[in-house]
Amino acid sequence: MGARILIIEDEEKFARFIEMELNYEGYEVTKAFDGRIGLAAAENGEFDLILLDIMLPGLNGMEVLRRLRRTKSVPVIMLTARDSIVDKVSGLDSGADDYITKPFAIEELLARIRTALRKTSPQENAILSIGELELDPGRRTVTVRGTAVDLTKREFDLLEYLMANKGMVLSRDTLLENVWGFDFEGETNVVDVYVRFLRGKIDEVFGIKVISTVRGVGYVIRDGE
Ligand code: CA
């Protein structure tokens, strides 16, 4: 069975052309002609790769990607209508794995698809570990020295995001946007509150130091602390 690919692209003729070519290569293809429908398909389905147009009705490609990244790490190749540096940078910033500028040769797209599939599939749901702390994104479990730590959904998501970005100092705004997933107006101390919850359940119980505060900036998890 070939890899499953979702195409989110409103130019239907173009989407059908890509589908035909991908079918010929042995891939299984699903199409969505609208951003919202595409996002729902991506969230509810099991795909190995997503081809995502930027200019879309319903929800634009950047927003689809941003929302999708809250729950899924499936590789995404952005299809950009023009050779726009801004689109490329913000696409890669929001978690796209690659981009390709239209019009493109189908061989070029096939090569990018093969690369993206090769690069990411073994990493899916890989266990994250920092010292004695282990987090399993697939099973949604956290352990320290093999002992399970009972976290709420939000605590887990925050810890997962910090661990997945270990070594990077993350601002409260970045954490709010990626873990809480909304543009938070006003108080950002909800992040501090949750960091405190995590420290209470992990650091204080097991006598380790997991999350470091970077004063005036945010939080970071560093290896070996
Ligand atoms: Ca379009």
Side-chain angles (χ1 to χ4, degrees), residues 47-68:
F47 294 99
D48 301 300
L49 180 105
I50 296 174
L51 300 178
L52 176 60
D53 186 28
I54 291 186
M55 301 291 281
L56 284 170
L59 211 57
N60 74 53
M62 290 298 177
E63 191 56 26
V64 170
L65 179 62
R66 207 176 65 83
R67 296 192 192 187
L68 182 67

Side-chain angles (χ1 to χ4, degrees), residues 136-147:
D136 185 334
R139 295 203 169 93
R140 292 190 67 86
T141 55
V142 173
T143 57
V144 178
R145 290 173 215 127
T147 303

Side-chain angles (χ1 to χ4, degrees), residues 36-165:
R36 251 172 231 290
I37 294 166
L39 176 64
E43 284 176 333
N44 299 318
E46 287 299 325
F47 294 99
D48 301 300
L49 180 105
I50 296 174
L51 300 178
L52 176 60
D53 186 28
I54 291 186
M55 301 291 281
L56 284 170
L59 211 57
N60 74 53
M62 290 298 177
E63 191 56 26
V64 170
L65 179 62
R66 207 176 65 83
R67 296 192 192 187
L68 182 67
R69 279 289 176 258
R70 291 176 197 160
T71 53
K72 297 257 180 176
S73 59
V74 54
V76 173
I77 299 178
M78 305 292 287
L79 310 176
T80 70
R82 58 197 183 284
D83 197 4
S84 158
I85 298 292
V86 176
D87 283 354
K88 280 175 196 169
V89 170
S90 46
L92 294 174
D93 273 356
S94 351
D97 299 87
D98 201 356
Y99 58 85
I100 187 164
T101 307
K102 292 192 260 183
F104 48 78
I106 195 72
E107 292 74 22
E108 173 74 9
L109 178 65
L110 293 173
R112 306 265 183 131
I113 288 174
R114 282 192 296 269
T115 305
L117 288 173
R118 206 166 38 231
K119 203 165 54 186
T120 48
S121 45
Q123 289 299 315
E124 188 86 24
N125 283 342
I127 290 175
L128 303 170
S129 72
I130 309 277
E132 298 167 313
L133 172 69
E134 276 196 357
L135 181 146
D136 185 334
R139 295 203 169 93
R140 292 190 67 86
T141 55
V142 173
T143 57
V144 178
R145 290 173 215 127
T147 303
V149 181
D150 188 24
L151 299 181
T152 64
K153 181 187 180 301
R154 192 74 79 190
E155 291 163 355
F156 182 91
D157 291 346
L158 176 60
L159 183 63
E160 181 182 20
Y161 192 79
L162 283 160
M163 288 179 79
N165 294 285

